[in-house]
């Protein structure tokens, strides 16, 4: 067995088999490192080898060093000089080693690393390389997606994930220009708000209601501004026009649609997302197709959809044809097409939340790439990190508690016999929107859960009764009311407006402006905090402001004689002197309202 093999077999570093012979002043190979200090069988010269304290070989020798012949030089480093360094070997060896070290001026070489240590070093280095490489790849992907997104400054700056309920405006435009959009209708069209949905997510993220707004609904479009590069254009409002003109016409941007939707629904929009024809094609393909169902054969020459009755998986051009068809379904109008689009979107959401998509990195990448390339968003969600945060929040909503519906409308009597447009059905719309504002789910499953929860709410009802009792009892004179008002409503100047009203109209001279709410946080609801010995003051203020019982927060301990109560104005604050109490929303959707539940796989277009 050679030295390399023996060293490995005995668990000894081959380098340690080279020893310094003080008689010759050179290194020699010792094959029996554990033998006695007699003549070494491995020493070509026959000189005695040193004892257990052996020296390292010269640095630079190979893993299997060559054994020098009797007349040959010992292994060396440098210009033919032997390295005299030595770990041990007696006094003579130590003196010779010291003399040689003084002559050469070289340091003692570092011990060679064992095979195990080499493996660890290589593994660690490779891992570090992969980690750095992974970081670079992640950054490149992040940068790529970021560059995909188009942004529009609509003059509203909201947090990516606002506190309280969220309202996401989703706009599908029929713009004909741009990649993937050519070949449809009027190529010179500037695009309209062809498909518009308001995605309302409840404050507790337990349910969501998606309201489709008919494009042919006659409405008023408020004055708005549109930003284009460094210029801002003010666009006058329009009365009695189709809703879809809120985008594109007269250079209106998504901010104009945003304000129109807020005016119609009374709901504050949090963010908008706009997509074109290509988005439907690319995203449906990215998830591997979307399952749809037809209750009859369809051959629509306008949308180019040709499918037999039954279930199908559509993607690309065929998916776009499905959401654009209308003449072959229902009554052949836009309202029938809306139901078709809601079926498609419900199925798309199911595909996106399915394990097949979420567990497939390739599919997720293509979906993210398609989505970011197709989307135009407001600056509040104009980055991957912000979009990701919003998506994570939206994903909290259980699929079974997402309901699609259409804003209730009636045929426009001004159209005569040929019905082309619709008008808002105010009675039903008011009822529906009140439910949405109060976070009441339209989903039957959710309603049943709520009914079961109501039965377990005896304790809560007792608490409500106790809270209502806070409004009963003597009321202090206005001049004795001491309160500091904080603004958490989001409306500039609300605190000072309220203080001025209290002092001038309510004779509450000891009211003061506390500025913004602590931490500059917005409050969803107005609250009044007071001590037990301030209860009479709280009742007087609650009566003046029209505060509901649940706005009152009584502490456990009495306050100092001249201490102030704390009033925080919330998003429900409508103005000084306007009662904060709002009518309770109905618990049931209006009769005959159109609904599609997102987890219902049995929907078929008729």
């Amino acid at each position: 067995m050679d030295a390399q093999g023996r060293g490995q077999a005995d668990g000894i570093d081959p380098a340690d088999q080279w020893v310094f012979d003080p008689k010759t002043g050179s290194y020699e190979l010792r094959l029996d490192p554990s033998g006695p200090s007699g003549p070494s069988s491995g020493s070509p010269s026959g000189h005695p080898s040193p004892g257990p304290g052996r020296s390292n070989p010269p640095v630079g020798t190979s893993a299997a060093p060559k054994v020098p012949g009797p007349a040959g030089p010992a292994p060396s480093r440098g210009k033919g000089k032997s390295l005299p360094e030595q770990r041990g070997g007696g006094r003579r060896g130590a003196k010779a080693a010291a003399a040689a070290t003084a002559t050469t001026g070289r340091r003692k070489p570092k011990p060679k690393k064992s095979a195990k240590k080499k493996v660890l070093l290589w593994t660690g280095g490779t891992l570090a390389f992969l980690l750095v490489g992974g970081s670079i790849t992640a950054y490149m992907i992040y940068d790529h997606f970021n560059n995909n997104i188009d942004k529009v400054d609509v003059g509203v700056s909201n947090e990516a994930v606002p506190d309280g309920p969220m309202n996401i405006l989703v706009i599908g435009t029929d713009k004909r220009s741009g990649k993937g959009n050519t070949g449809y209708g009027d190529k010179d069209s500037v695009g309209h708000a062809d498909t518009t949905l308001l995605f309302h997510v409840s404050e507790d993220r337990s349910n969501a209601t998606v309201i489709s707004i008919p494009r042919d609904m006659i409405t008023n479009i408020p004055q708005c501004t549109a930003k284009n590069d460094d210029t801002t254009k003010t666009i006058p409002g329009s009365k009695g026009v189709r809703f879809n003109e809120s985008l594109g016409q007269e250079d209106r941007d998504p901010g104009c649609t945003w304000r129109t939707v807020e005016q119609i629904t009374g709901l504050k929009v949090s963010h908008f997302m706009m997509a074109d024809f290509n988005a439907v094609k690319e995203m449906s393909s990215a998830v591997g197709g979307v399952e749809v169902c037809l209750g009859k054969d369809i051959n629509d020459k306008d949308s180019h959809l040709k499918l037999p009755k039954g279930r199908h998986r559509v993607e690309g051009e065929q998916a776009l044809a499905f959401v654009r068809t209308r003449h072959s379904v229902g009554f052949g109008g836009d309202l029938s097409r809306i139901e078709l689009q809601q079926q498609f979107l419900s199925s798309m959401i199911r595909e996106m939340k399915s394990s097949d998509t979420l567990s497939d990195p390739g599919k997720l990448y293509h979906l993210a790439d398609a989505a970011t390339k197709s989307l135009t968003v407001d600056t509040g969600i104009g980055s991957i990190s912000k979009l990701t945060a919003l998506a994570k929040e939206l994903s909290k909503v259980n699929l079974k508690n997402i309901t699609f519906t259409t804003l209730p409308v009636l045929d426009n009597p001004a159209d005569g016999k040929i019905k082309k447009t619709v008008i808002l059905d105010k009675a039903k719309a008011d009822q529906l929107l009140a439910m949405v504002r109060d976070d009441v789910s339209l989903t039957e499953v959710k309603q049943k859960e709520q009914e079961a929860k109501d039965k377990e709410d005896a304790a809560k009802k007792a608490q409500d009764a106790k809270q209502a009792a806070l409004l009963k009892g003597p009321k202090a004179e206005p001049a004795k009311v001491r309160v500091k008002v904080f603004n958490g409503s989001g409306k500039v100047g609300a605190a000072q407006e309220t203080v001025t009203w209290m002092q001038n109209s309510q004779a509450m001279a000891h009211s003061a402006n506390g500025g913004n709410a602590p931490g500059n946080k917005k409050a969803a609801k107005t609250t009044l905090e007071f001590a037990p010995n301030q209860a009479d003051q709280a009742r007087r203020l609650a009566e003046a402001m029209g505060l509901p019982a649940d706005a009152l927060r009584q502490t456990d301990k009495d306050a100092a004689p001249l201490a102030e109560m704390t009033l925080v104005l919330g998003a429900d604050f409508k103005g000084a002197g306007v009662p904060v109490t709002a009518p309770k929303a109905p618990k049931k959707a209006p009769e005959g309202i159109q609904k599609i539940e997102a987890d219902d796989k049995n929907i078929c277009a008729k």
Side-chain angles (χ1 to χ4, degrees), residues 339-415:
E339 293 184 35
L340 210 64
Q341 291 170 346
Q342 291 174 351
Q343 180 196 152
F344 179 87
L345 288 171
S346 297
S347 185
M348 171 79 87
I349 292 173
R350 291 197 297 272
E351 290 292 342
M352 291 171 68
K353 291 175 76 83
S354 71
S355 57
D356 289 343
T357 299
L358 297 177
S359 62
D360 188 332
K363 190 178 284 190
L364 282 174
Y365 175 87
H366 290 303
L367 179 59
D369 193 40
T372 52
K373 282 181 179 177
S374 304
L375 285 179
T376 298
V377 300
D378 61 280
T379 51
I381 50 174
S383 70
I384 287 299
S385 59
K386 292 178 179 178
L387 270 176
T388 301
L390 178 61
K392 185 177 180 181
E393 193 72 6
L394 295 176
S395 68
K396 294 178 181 179
V397 184
N398 193 311
L399 191 65
K400 68 181 182 180
N401 291 328
I402 300 176
T403 308
F404 287 82
T405 187
T406 303
L407 193 66
V409 291
L410 300 167
D411 287 335
N412 186 0
D415 284 345

Side-chain angles (χ1 to χ4, degrees), residues 172-494:
T173 176
D174 59 355
K175 189 174 182 180
R176 315 296 179 177
S177 61
K179 180 183 177 182
N181 296 328
T182 56
Y184 304 106
D186 180 7
K187 65 178 182 178
D188 298 320
S189 172
V190 294
H192 305 79
D194 193 54
T195 299
T196 305
L197 306 102
L198 188 61
F199 198 109
H200 173 83
V201 183
S202 66
E203 183 173 4
D204 62 3
R205 310 304 187 237
S206 68
N207 67 87
T209 301
V210 188
I211 305 174
S212 292
I213 301 177
R215 67 172 194 175
D216 295 326
M217 185 178 73
I218 299 301
T219 189
N220 296 332
I221 299 174
Q223 175 180 296
C224 59
T225 57
K227 293 185 178 181
N228 187 8
D229 297 325
D230 296 329
T231 62
T232 300
K233 179 181 179 181
T234 299
I235 305 166
S238 299
K239 292 186 177 182
V241 295
R242 295 178 193 237
F243 170 80
N244 67 352
E245 292 184 25
S246 63
L247 178 70
Q249 303 300 303
E250 301 184 39
D251 294 328
R252 291 188 177 106
D253 69 5
C256 298
T257 307
W258 178 312
R259 287 163 178 79
T260 305
V261 169
E262 287 187 337
Q263 178 179 272
I264 294 171
T265 64
L267 296 166
K268 288 294 180 183
V269 175
S270 308
H271 298 291
F272 90 86
M273 299 178 184
M274 183 171 69
D276 55 19
F277 289 135
N278 204 43
V280 177
K281 295 189 291 185
E282 295 295 331
M283 292 182 69
S284 61
S285 296
V287 296
V290 176
E291 186 180 89
V292 296
C293 181
L294 296 174
K296 61 181 180 180
D297 296 347
I298 288 185
N299 186 0
D300 189 338
K301 61 181 179 60
D302 293 316
S303 70
H304 308 296
L305 180 67
K306 186 176 182 180
L307 284 174
K309 175 183 177 179
R311 295 189 174 278
H312 307 275
R313 185 167 286 272
V314 296
E315 62 178 280
E317 292 286 348
Q318 195 173 48
L320 178 60
F322 182 86
V323 299
R324 292 187 67 238
T325 196
R326 57 174 173 155
H327 297 304
S328 302
V329 292
F331 295 105
D334 187 52
L335 296 180
S336 298
R337 182 174 66 169
I338 285 175
E339 293 184 35
L340 210 64
Q341 291 170 346
Q342 291 174 351
Q343 180 196 152
F344 179 87
L345 288 171
S346 297
S347 185
M348 171 79 87
I349 292 173
R350 291 197 297 272
E351 290 292 342
M352 291 171 68
K353 291 175 76 83
S354 71
S355 57
D356 289 343
T357 299
L358 297 177
S359 62
D360 188 332
K363 190 178 284 190
L364 282 174
Y365 175 87
H366 290 303
L367 179 59
D369 193 40
T372 52
K373 282 181 179 177
S374 304
L375 285 179
T376 298
V377 300
D378 61 280
T379 51
I381 50 174
S383 70
I384 287 299
S385 59
K386 292 178 179 178
L387 270 176
T388 301
L390 178 61
K392 185 177 180 181
E393 193 72 6
L394 295 176
S395 68
K396 294 178 181 179
V397 184
N398 193 311
L399 191 65
K400 68 181 182 180
N401 291 328
I402 300 176
T403 308
F404 287 82
T405 187
T406 303
L407 193 66
V409 291
L410 300 167
D411 287 335
N412 186 0
D415 284 345
K417 293 182 179 180
I418 301 176
K419 305 299 181 184
K420 296 181 179 179
T421 60
V422 293
I423 58 172
L424 187 69
D425 184 343
K426 195 170 185 312
K428 288 185 178 180
D430 285 349
Q431 188 177 347
L432 169 65
L433 294 171
M435 292 181 68
V436 173
R437 278 192 293 270
D438 211 41
D439 283 351
V440 178
S441 175
L442 300 185
T443 310
E444 295 298 333
V445 175
K446 182 65 181 176
Q447 287 178 356
K448 290 177 182 178
E449 290 175 354
Q450 187 63 45
E451 289 171 5
K453 184 175 180 297
D454 288 343
K455 293 178 182 179
E456 301 170 0
D457 276 351
K460 185 178 182 303
K461 288 180 180 179
Q463 177 61 30
D464 289 344
K466 182 180 178 181
Q467 196 72 20
L470 294 174
L471 292 174
K472 299 176 182 179
K475 300 178 182 67
E477 292 297 320
K480 293 183 178 181
V481 173
R482 293 179 177 273
V483 63
K484 183 167 284 188
V485 183
F486 293 89
N487 187 7
S489 69
K491 301 177 179 68
V492 177

Side-chain angles (χ1 to χ4, degrees), residues 24 26-28 42-47 67-74:
T24 64
S26 63
Y27 285 88
E28 295 180 359
S43 176
S45 62
H47 295 298
V67 180

